[in-house]
mmCIF file of all heavy atoms in Angstrom:
data_model
loop_
_atom_site.group_PDB
_atom_site.id
_atom_site.type_symbol
_atom_site.label_atom_id
_atom_site.label_comp_id
_atom_site.label_asym_id
_atom_site.label_seq_id
_atom_site.Cartn_x
_atom_site.Cartn_y
_atom_site.Cartn_z
ATOM 1 N N ASP A 1 76.695 76.540 132.034
ATOM 2 C CA ASP A 1 77.935 75.923 132.573
ATOM 3 C C ASP A 1 78.888 75.631 131.527
ATOM 4 O O ASP A 1 78.728 74.684 130.689
ATOM 5 C CB ASP A 1 77.523 74.748 133.343
ATOM 6 C CG ASP A 1 76.748 74.889 134.611
ATOM 7 O OD1 ASP A 1 77.044 75.831 135.326
ATOM 8 O OD2 ASP A 1 75.721 74.149 134.806
ATOM 9 N N CYS A 2 79.931 76.453 131.503
ATOM 10 C CA CYS A 2 80.906 76.403 130.455
ATOM 11 C C CYS A 2 82.299 76.184 131.019
ATOM 12 O O CYS A 2 82.772 76.834 131.932
ATOM 13 C CB CYS A 2 80.958 77.704 129.514
ATOM 14 S SG CYS A 2 82.050 77.617 128.127
ATOM 15 N N VAL A 3 83.123 75.226 130.403
ATOM 16 C CA VAL A 3 84.429 74.930 130.810
ATOM 17 C C VAL A 3 85.269 75.101 129.524
ATOM 18 O O VAL A 3 84.939 74.549 128.450
ATOM 19 C CB VAL A 3 84.653 73.676 131.497
ATOM 20 C CG1 VAL A 3 84.173 73.783 133.098
ATOM 21 C CG2 VAL A 3 83.905 72.488 130.907
ATOM 22 N N ILE A 4 86.504 75.691 129.686
ATOM 23 C CA ILE A 4 87.368 75.848 128.576
ATOM 24 C C ILE A 4 88.760 75.141 128.965
ATOM 25 O O ILE A 4 89.188 75.240 130.088
ATOM 26 C CB ILE A 4 87.713 77.340 128.251
ATOM 27 C CG1 ILE A 4 86.392 78.007 127.995
ATOM 28 C CG2 ILE A 4 88.607 77.493 127.111
ATOM 29 C CD1 ILE A 4 86.458 79.533 127.966
ATOM 30 N N PHE A 5 89.296 74.355 127.996
ATOM 31 C CA PHE A 5 90.495 73.569 128.245
ATOM 32 C C PHE A 5 91.649 74.081 127.529
ATOM 33 O O PHE A 5 91.622 74.138 126.230
ATOM 34 C CB PHE A 5 90.115 72.065 127.996
ATOM 35 C CG PHE A 5 89.053 71.513 128.672
ATOM 36 C CD1 PHE A 5 87.738 71.722 128.218
ATOM 37 C CD2 PHE A 5 89.241 70.818 129.770
ATOM 38 C CE1 PHE A 5 86.627 71.183 128.881
ATOM 39 C CE2 PHE A 5 88.152 70.264 130.529
ATOM 40 C CZ PHE A 5 86.876 70.436 130.046
ATOM 41 N N VAL A 6 92.768 74.391 128.096
ATOM 42 C CA VAL A 6 94.015 74.634 127.528
ATOM 43 C C VAL A 6 95.245 73.793 128.126
ATOM 44 O O VAL A 6 94.981 73.068 129.078
ATOM 45 C CB VAL A 6 94.380 76.161 127.661
ATOM 46 C CG1 VAL A 6 93.317 77.055 126.905
ATOM 47 C CG2 VAL A 6 94.459 76.585 129.126
ATOM 48 N N LYS A 7 96.478 74.065 127.508
ATOM 49 C CA LYS A 7 97.487 73.169 127.996
ATOM 50 C C LYS A 7 98.475 73.801 128.965
ATOM 51 O O LYS A 7 99.211 73.030 129.700
ATOM 52 C CB LYS A 7 98.280 72.642 126.700
ATOM 53 C CG LYS A 7 97.592 71.637 125.926
ATOM 54 C CD LYS A 7 98.481 71.001 124.892
ATOM 55 C CE LYS A 7 97.677 69.883 124.120
ATOM 56 N NZ LYS A 7 98.543 69.148 123.068
ATOM 57 N N THR A 8 98.492 74.974 129.143
ATOM 58 C CA THR A 8 99.448 75.717 130.095
ATOM 59 C C THR A 8 98.660 76.711 130.986
ATOM 60 O O THR A 8 97.590 77.167 130.684
ATOM 61 C CB THR A 8 100.509 76.411 129.342
ATOM 62 O OG1 THR A 8 100.027 77.513 128.667
ATOM 63 C CG2 THR A 8 101.224 75.510 128.363
ATOM 64 N N LYS A 9 99.300 76.984 132.076
ATOM 65 C CA LYS A 9 98.703 77.945 133.048
ATOM 66 C C LYS A 9 98.737 79.270 132.488
ATOM 67 O O LYS A 9 97.808 80.132 132.687
ATOM 68 C CB LYS A 9 99.576 77.937 134.402
ATOM 69 C CG LYS A 9 98.888 78.836 135.505
ATOM 70 C CD LYS A 9 99.840 78.743 136.766
ATOM 71 C CE LYS A 9 99.208 79.739 137.795
ATOM 72 N NZ LYS A 9 100.018 79.669 139.054
ATOM 73 N N PHE A 10 99.763 79.685 131.698
ATOM 74 C CA PHE A 10 99.855 80.990 131.062
ATOM 75 C C PHE A 10 98.764 81.222 130.062
ATOM 76 O O PHE A 10 98.048 82.287 130.130
ATOM 77 C CB PHE A 10 101.197 81.136 130.355
ATOM 78 C CG PHE A 10 101.373 82.375 129.659
ATOM 79 C CD1 PHE A 10 101.732 83.619 130.241
ATOM 80 C CD2 PHE A 10 101.162 82.474 128.232
ATOM 81 C CE1 PHE A 10 101.694 84.801 129.547
ATOM 82 C CE2 PHE A 10 101.234 83.679 127.532
ATOM 83 C CZ PHE A 10 101.543 84.786 128.198
ATOM 84 N N SER A 11 98.388 80.177 129.261
ATOM 85 C CA SER A 11 97.341 80.283 128.372
ATOM 86 C C SER A 11 96.049 80.409 129.080
ATOM 87 O O SER A 11 95.150 81.103 128.686
ATOM 88 C CB SER A 11 97.333 78.966 127.450
ATOM 89 O OG SER A 11 98.510 78.878 126.702
ATOM 90 N N ALA A 12 95.882 79.678 130.160
ATOM 91 C CA ALA A 12 94.600 79.703 130.948
ATOM 92 C C ALA A 12 94.377 81.095 131.453
ATOM 93 O O ALA A 12 93.241 81.586 131.452
ATOM 94 C CB ALA A 12 94.738 78.703 132.112
ATOM 95 N N GLU A 13 95.340 81.707 132.004
ATOM 96 C CA GLU A 13 95.235 83.108 132.551
ATOM 97 C C GLU A 13 94.914 84.126 131.465
ATOM 98 O O GLU A 13 94.056 85.004 131.596
ATOM 99 C CB GLU A 13 96.530 83.574 133.276
ATOM 100 C CG GLU A 13 96.830 82.751 134.582
ATOM 101 C CD GLU A 13 98.139 82.985 135.152
ATOM 102 O OE1 GLU A 13 99.050 83.568 134.365
ATOM 103 O OE2 GLU A 13 98.378 82.631 136.308
ATOM 104 N N ARG A 14 95.540 84.000 130.265
ATOM 105 C CA ARG A 14 95.245 84.845 129.125
ATOM 106 C C ARG A 14 93.969 84.676 128.631
ATOM 107 O O ARG A 14 93.180 85.682 128.417
ATOM 108 C CB ARG A 14 96.352 84.635 128.052
ATOM 109 C CG ARG A 14 96.099 85.458 126.731
ATOM 110 C CD ARG A 14 97.181 85.212 125.789
ATOM 111 N NE ARG A 14 97.471 83.793 125.571
ATOM 112 C CZ ARG A 14 96.712 83.090 124.667
ATOM 113 N NH1 ARG A 14 95.669 83.557 123.953
ATOM 114 N NH2 ARG A 14 97.005 81.709 124.492
ATOM 115 N N VAL A 15 93.478 83.345 128.372
ATOM 116 C CA VAL A 15 92.235 83.116 127.828
ATOM 117 C C VAL A 15 91.039 83.574 128.809
ATOM 118 O O VAL A 15 90.141 84.191 128.285
ATOM 119 C CB VAL A 15 92.081 81.601 127.615
ATOM 120 C CG1 VAL A 15 90.599 81.244 127.353
ATOM 121 C CG2 VAL A 15 92.903 81.198 126.362
ATOM 122 N N MET A 16 91.192 83.329 129.997
ATOM 123 C CA MET A 16 90.204 83.704 131.056
ATOM 124 C C MET A 16 90.078 85.244 130.970
ATOM 125 O O MET A 16 88.870 85.751 131.059
ATOM 126 C CB MET A 16 90.597 83.261 132.518
ATOM 127 C CG MET A 16 89.419 83.559 133.516
ATOM 128 S SD MET A 16 89.746 82.773 135.140
ATOM 129 C CE MET A 16 90.948 83.913 135.818
ATOM 130 N N LYS A 17 91.074 86.023 130.993
ATOM 131 C CA LYS A 17 90.939 87.508 130.922
ATOM 132 C C LYS A 17 90.182 87.902 129.747
ATOM 133 O O LYS A 17 89.272 88.767 129.739
ATOM 134 C CB LYS A 17 92.328 88.006 131.025
ATOM 135 C CG LYS A 17 92.398 89.585 131.058
ATOM 136 C CD LYS A 17 93.815 90.102 131.083
ATOM 137 C CE LYS A 17 93.754 91.682 130.951
ATOM 138 N NZ LYS A 17 95.275 92.244 130.958
ATOM 139 N N ASN A 18 90.595 87.473 128.571
ATOM 140 C CA ASN A 18 89.974 87.869 127.228
ATOM 141 C C ASN A 18 88.516 87.394 127.157
ATOM 142 O O ASN A 18 87.696 88.152 126.735
ATOM 143 C CB ASN A 18 90.693 87.227 126.105
ATOM 144 C CG ASN A 18 92.181 87.865 125.955
ATOM 145 O OD1 ASN A 18 92.417 88.972 126.543
ATOM 146 N ND2 ASN A 18 93.117 87.108 125.344
ATOM 147 N N ILE A 19 88.237 86.235 127.601
ATOM 148 C CA ILE A 19 86.850 85.734 127.570
ATOM 149 C C ILE A 19 85.844 86.408 128.540
ATOM 150 O O ILE A 19 84.731 86.797 128.168
ATOM 151 C CB ILE A 19 86.627 84.207 127.762
ATOM 152 C CG1 ILE A 19 87.458 83.493 126.626
ATOM 153 C CG2 ILE A 19 85.287 83.774 127.797
ATOM 154 C CD1 ILE A 19 87.013 83.781 125.156
ATOM 155 N N ILE A 20 86.343 86.766 129.648
ATOM 156 C CA ILE A 20 85.548 87.640 130.582
ATOM 157 C C ILE A 20 85.316 88.924 130.097
ATOM 158 O O ILE A 20 84.170 89.413 130.080
ATOM 159 C CB ILE A 20 86.312 87.670 131.955
ATOM 160 C CG1 ILE A 20 86.259 86.300 132.778
ATOM 161 C CG2 ILE A 20 85.649 88.817 132.849
ATOM 162 C CD1 ILE A 20 87.130 86.249 134.034
ATOM 163 N N THR A 21 86.347 89.518 129.362
ATOM 164 C CA THR A 21 86.098 90.836 128.753
ATOM 165 C C THR A 21 84.996 90.706 127.657
ATOM 166 O O THR A 21 84.180 91.609 127.542
ATOM 167 C CB THR A 21 87.495 91.347 128.071
ATOM 168 O OG1 THR A 21 88.438 91.379 129.097
ATOM 169 C CG2 THR A 21 87.242 92.689 127.409
ATOM 170 N N PHE A 22 85.108 89.696 126.809
ATOM 171 C CA PHE A 22 84.085 89.455 125.858
ATOM 172 C C PHE A 22 82.672 89.261 126.314
ATOM 173 O O PHE A 22 81.751 89.965 125.870
ATOM 174 C CB PHE A 22 84.452 88.253 124.923
ATOM 175 C CG PHE A 22 83.409 87.873 123.897
ATOM 176 C CD1 PHE A 22 83.285 88.541 122.723
ATOM 177 C CD2 PHE A 22 82.508 86.811 124.206
ATOM 178 C CE1 PHE A 22 82.374 88.144 121.830
ATOM 179 C CE2 PHE A 22 81.576 86.499 123.366
ATOM 180 C CZ PHE A 22 81.478 87.122 122.156
ATOM 181 N N ILE A 23 82.605 88.460 127.396
ATOM 182 C CA ILE A 23 81.252 88.213 128.047
ATOM 183 C C ILE A 23 80.703 89.500 128.594
ATOM 184 O O ILE A 23 79.490 89.819 128.410
ATOM 185 C CB ILE A 23 81.377 87.190 129.148
ATOM 186 C CG1 ILE A 23 81.696 85.835 128.405
ATOM 187 C CG2 ILE A 23 80.113 87.084 129.923
ATOM 188 C CD1 ILE A 23 82.090 84.718 129.442
ATOM 189 N N GLU A 24 81.470 90.301 129.294
ATOM 190 C CA GLU A 24 80.957 91.492 129.919
ATOM 191 C C GLU A 24 80.698 92.666 128.872
ATOM 192 O O GLU A 24 79.713 93.453 129.150
ATOM 193 C CB GLU A 24 81.854 91.961 131.011
ATOM 194 C CG GLU A 24 81.874 90.866 132.240
ATOM 195 C CD GLU A 24 82.764 91.244 133.338
ATOM 196 O OE1 GLU A 24 83.673 92.109 133.190
ATOM 197 O OE2 GLU A 24 82.566 90.707 134.432
ATOM 198 N N ASN A 25 81.556 92.860 128.057
ATOM 199 C CA ASN A 25 81.540 93.956 126.936
ATOM 200 C C ASN A 25 80.602 93.607 125.880
ATOM 201 O O ASN A 25 79.833 94.553 125.432
ATOM 202 C CB ASN A 25 82.913 94.325 126.567
ATOM 203 C CG ASN A 25 83.766 94.883 127.747
ATOM 204 O OD1 ASN A 25 83.257 95.227 128.784
ATOM 205 N ND2 ASN A 25 85.040 95.007 127.479
ATOM 206 N N LYS A 26 80.627 92.507 125.280
ATOM 207 C CA LYS A 26 79.928 92.157 124.157
ATOM 208 C C LYS A 26 78.569 91.493 124.400
ATOM 209 O O LYS A 26 77.555 91.948 123.783
ATOM 210 C CB LYS A 26 80.710 91.200 123.161
ATOM 211 C CG LYS A 26 82.023 91.870 122.721
ATOM 212 C CD LYS A 26 81.866 92.950 121.768
ATOM 213 C CE LYS A 26 83.192 93.592 121.083
ATOM 214 N NZ LYS A 26 82.966 94.641 120.229
ATOM 215 N N LEU A 27 78.508 90.600 125.312
ATOM 216 C CA LEU A 27 77.283 89.897 125.683
ATOM 217 C C LEU A 27 76.553 90.603 126.717
ATOM 218 O O LEU A 27 75.361 90.287 127.013
ATOM 219 C CB LEU A 27 77.577 88.543 126.140
ATOM 220 C CG LEU A 27 78.209 87.579 125.036
ATOM 221 C CD1 LEU A 27 78.293 86.139 125.487
ATOM 222 C CD2 LEU A 27 77.432 87.520 123.684
ATOM 223 N N LYS A 28 77.136 91.543 127.425
ATOM 224 C CA LYS A 28 76.506 92.382 128.572
ATOM 225 C C LYS A 28 76.048 91.437 129.685
ATOM 226 O O LYS A 28 74.942 91.711 130.281
ATOM 227 C CB LYS A 28 75.273 93.213 127.888
ATOM 228 C CG LYS A 28 75.759 94.121 126.799
ATOM 229 C CD LYS A 28 76.946 95.105 127.178
ATOM 230 C CE LYS A 28 77.264 96.092 125.947
ATOM 231 N NZ LYS A 28 78.352 96.978 126.469
ATOM 232 N N LEU A 29 76.774 90.374 129.971
ATOM 233 C CA LEU A 29 76.468 89.448 131.044
ATOM 234 C C LEU A 29 77.425 89.640 132.196
ATOM 235 O O LEU A 29 78.563 90.204 132.043
ATOM 236 C CB LEU A 29 76.485 87.995 130.551
ATOM 237 C CG LEU A 29 75.413 87.627 129.496
ATOM 238 C CD1 LEU A 29 75.758 86.222 128.984
ATOM 239 C CD2 LEU A 29 74.045 87.671 129.995
ATOM 240 N N LYS A 30 77.058 89.219 133.317
ATOM 241 C CA LYS A 30 77.942 89.381 134.521
ATOM 242 C C LYS A 30 78.624 88.019 134.829
ATOM 243 O O LYS A 30 77.975 86.921 134.781
ATOM 244 C CB LYS A 30 77.076 89.791 135.828
ATOM 245 C CG LYS A 30 76.377 91.192 135.730
ATOM 246 C CD LYS A 30 75.555 91.416 136.921
ATOM 247 C CE LYS A 30 74.887 92.771 136.779
ATOM 248 N NZ LYS A 30 74.021 93.071 138.031
ATOM 249 N N VAL A 31 79.895 88.104 134.995
ATOM 250 C CA VAL A 31 80.753 87.006 135.466
ATOM 251 C C VAL A 31 80.883 86.915 136.814
ATOM 252 O O VAL A 31 81.297 87.961 137.473
ATOM 253 C CB VAL A 31 82.063 86.954 134.661
ATOM 254 C CG1 VAL A 31 82.874 85.708 135.149
ATOM 255 C CG2 VAL A 31 81.869 86.864 133.163
ATOM 256 N N ASN A 32 80.594 85.904 137.537
ATOM 257 C CA ASN A 32 80.784 85.774 138.997
ATOM 258 C C ASN A 32 82.271 85.546 139.191
ATOM 259 O O ASN A 32 82.843 84.498 138.992
ATOM 260 C CB ASN A 32 80.005 84.560 139.557
ATOM 261 C CG ASN A 32 79.982 84.460 141.014
ATOM 262 O OD1 ASN A 32 80.964 84.854 141.634
ATOM 263 N ND2 ASN A 32 78.797 84.135 141.531
ATOM 264 N N ALA A 33 82.959 86.559 139.696
ATOM 265 C CA ALA A 33 84.322 86.592 139.926
ATOM 266 C C ALA A 33 84.804 85.583 141.045
ATOM 267 O O ALA A 33 85.867 84.978 140.959
ATOM 268 C CB ALA A 33 84.829 87.998 140.276
ATOM 269 N N GLU A 34 84.005 85.355 141.992
ATOM 270 C CA GLU A 34 84.325 84.392 143.119
ATOM 271 C C GLU A 34 84.306 82.961 142.647
ATOM 272 O O GLU A 34 85.074 82.191 143.102
ATOM 273 C CB GLU A 34 83.252 84.590 144.248
ATOM 274 C CG GLU A 34 83.384 85.914 144.912
ATOM 275 C CD GLU A 34 82.408 86.063 146.123
ATOM 276 O OE1 GLU A 34 81.668 85.130 146.400
ATOM 277 O OE2 GLU A 34 82.477 87.193 146.815
ATOM 278 N N LYS A 35 83.410 82.625 141.664
ATOM 279 C CA LYS A 35 83.294 81.204 141.229
ATOM 280 C C LYS A 35 83.965 80.980 139.964
ATOM 281 O O LYS A 35 84.160 79.745 139.558
ATOM 282 C CB LYS A 35 81.813 80.881 141.126
ATOM 283 C CG LYS A 35 80.967 80.851 142.446
ATOM 284 C CD LYS A 35 79.544 80.446 142.319
ATOM 285 C CE LYS A 35 78.865 80.485 143.581
ATOM 286 N NZ LYS A 35 77.395 80.084 143.442
ATOM 287 N N THR A 36 84.341 82.004 139.205
ATOM 288 C CA THR A 36 85.091 81.807 137.953
ATOM 289 C C THR A 36 86.571 81.676 138.263
ATOM 290 O O THR A 36 87.130 82.550 138.916
ATOM 291 C CB THR A 36 84.809 82.964 136.900
ATOM 292 O OG1 THR A 36 83.488 82.979 136.561
ATOM 293 C CG2 THR A 36 85.716 82.841 135.712
ATOM 294 N N HIS A 37 87.166 80.572 137.856
ATOM 295 C CA HIS A 37 88.606 80.405 138.265
ATOM 296 C C HIS A 37 89.244 79.377 137.355
ATOM 297 O O HIS A 37 88.558 78.680 136.557
ATOM 298 C CB HIS A 37 88.671 79.759 139.803
ATOM 299 C CG HIS A 37 87.876 78.487 139.914
ATOM 300 N ND1 HIS A 37 86.545 78.460 140.023
ATOM 301 C CD2 HIS A 37 88.283 77.289 139.943
ATOM 302 C CE1 HIS A 37 86.155 77.216 140.216
ATOM 303 N NE2 HIS A 37 87.210 76.417 140.136
ATOM 304 N N ILE A 38 90.550 79.294 137.468
ATOM 305 C CA ILE A 38 91.362 78.309 136.812
ATOM 306 C C ILE A 38 91.614 77.152 137.745
ATOM 307 O O ILE A 38 92.058 77.370 138.870
ATOM 308 C CB ILE A 38 92.790 78.873 136.334
ATOM 309 C CG1 ILE A 38 92.497 80.091 135.369
ATOM 310 C CG2 ILE A 38 93.670 77.828 135.687
ATOM 311 C CD1 ILE A 38 93.669 80.861 135.013
ATOM 312 N N THR A 39 91.501 75.934 137.256
ATOM 313 C CA THR A 39 91.653 74.731 138.026
ATOM 314 C C THR A 39 92.224 73.610 137.271
ATOM 315 O O THR A 39 92.461 73.674 136.076
ATOM 316 C CB THR A 39 90.252 74.383 138.590
ATOM 317 O OG1 THR A 39 90.426 73.301 139.584
ATOM 318 C CG2 THR A 39 89.258 73.863 137.528
ATOM 319 N N ARG A 40 92.476 72.459 137.979
ATOM 320 C CA ARG A 40 92.966 71.291 137.410
ATOM 321 C C ARG A 40 91.946 70.198 137.486
ATOM 322 O O ARG A 40 90.926 70.319 138.279
ATOM 323 C CB ARG A 40 94.208 70.841 138.201
ATOM 324 C CG ARG A 40 95.309 71.932 138.210
ATOM 325 C CD ARG A 40 96.070 72.072 137.010
ATOM 326 N NE ARG A 40 97.114 71.089 136.938
ATOM 327 C CZ ARG A 40 97.842 70.814 135.775
ATOM 328 N NH1 ARG A 40 97.637 71.473 134.822
ATOM 329 N NH2 ARG A 40 98.773 69.786 135.959
ATOM 330 N N PRO A 41 92.106 69.213 136.696
ATOM 331 C CA PRO A 41 91.019 68.095 136.548
ATOM 332 C C PRO A 41 90.661 67.573 137.940
ATOM 333 O O PRO A 41 89.418 67.317 138.195
ATOM 334 C CB PRO A 41 91.645 67.072 135.695
ATOM 335 C CG PRO A 41 92.566 67.861 134.805
ATOM 336 C CD PRO A 41 93.187 68.883 135.646
ATOM 337 N N ASN A 42 91.655 67.276 138.825
ATOM 338 C CA ASN A 42 91.287 66.668 140.118
ATOM 339 C C ASN A 42 90.480 67.590 141.042
ATOM 340 O O ASN A 42 89.888 67.090 142.023
ATOM 341 C CB ASN A 42 92.481 66.121 140.798
ATOM 342 C CG ASN A 42 93.530 67.242 140.991
ATOM 343 O OD1 ASN A 42 93.743 68.027 140.108
ATOM 344 N ND2 ASN A 42 94.072 67.308 142.130
ATOM 345 N N ASN A 43 90.502 68.844 140.698
ATOM 346 C CA ASN A 43 89.704 69.849 141.609
ATOM 347 C C ASN A 43 88.503 70.424 140.901
ATOM 348 O O ASN A 43 87.787 71.153 141.429
ATOM 349 C CB ASN A 43 90.663 71.004 141.893
ATOM 350 C CG ASN A 43 91.821 70.630 142.940
ATOM 351 O OD1 ASN A 43 91.547 69.691 143.737
ATOM 352 N ND2 ASN A 43 92.984 71.181 142.589
ATOM 353 N N LEU A 44 88.171 69.902 139.684
ATOM 354 C CA LEU A 44 87.088 70.394 138.884
ATOM 355 C C LEU A 44 85.735 69.824 139.344
ATOM 356 O O LEU A 44 85.740 68.539 139.425
ATOM 357 C CB LEU A 44 87.324 70.150 137.316
ATOM 358 C CG LEU A 44 86.152 70.527 136.406
ATOM 359 C CD1 LEU A 44 85.914 72.021 136.492
ATOM 360 C CD2 LEU A 44 86.393 69.948 135.036
#
């Protein structure tokens, strides 16, 4: 269970895309696209 914290929505979208690529290509793990998302503290 991993959560990453950034300050802007743009940064969140960029980071999520890059980290998913790293996880799937380098670590050879599957990311659940339905449950992986960008959210705010009150919805976390």
Side-chain angles (χ1 to χ4, degrees):
D1 291 316
C2 183
V3 283
I4 305 168
F5 302 83
V6 296
K7 287 191 174 182
T8 66
K9 184 179 180 182
F10 176 78
S11 297
E13 291 172 346
R14 174 176 53 81
V15 168
M16 186 172 76
K17 181 181 177 182
N18 292 338
I19 294 302
I20 288 176
T21 301
F22 172 81
I23 291 171
E24 293 183 340
N25 293 345
K26 298 293 184 180
L27 299 184
K28 305 300 180 183
L29 295 172
K30 296 178 182 178
V31 176
N32 192 326
E34 293 182 1
K35 295 182 179 180
T36 298
H37 60 281
I38 297 168
T39 187
R40 304 283 279 172
N42 57 316
N43 293 321
L44 176 65

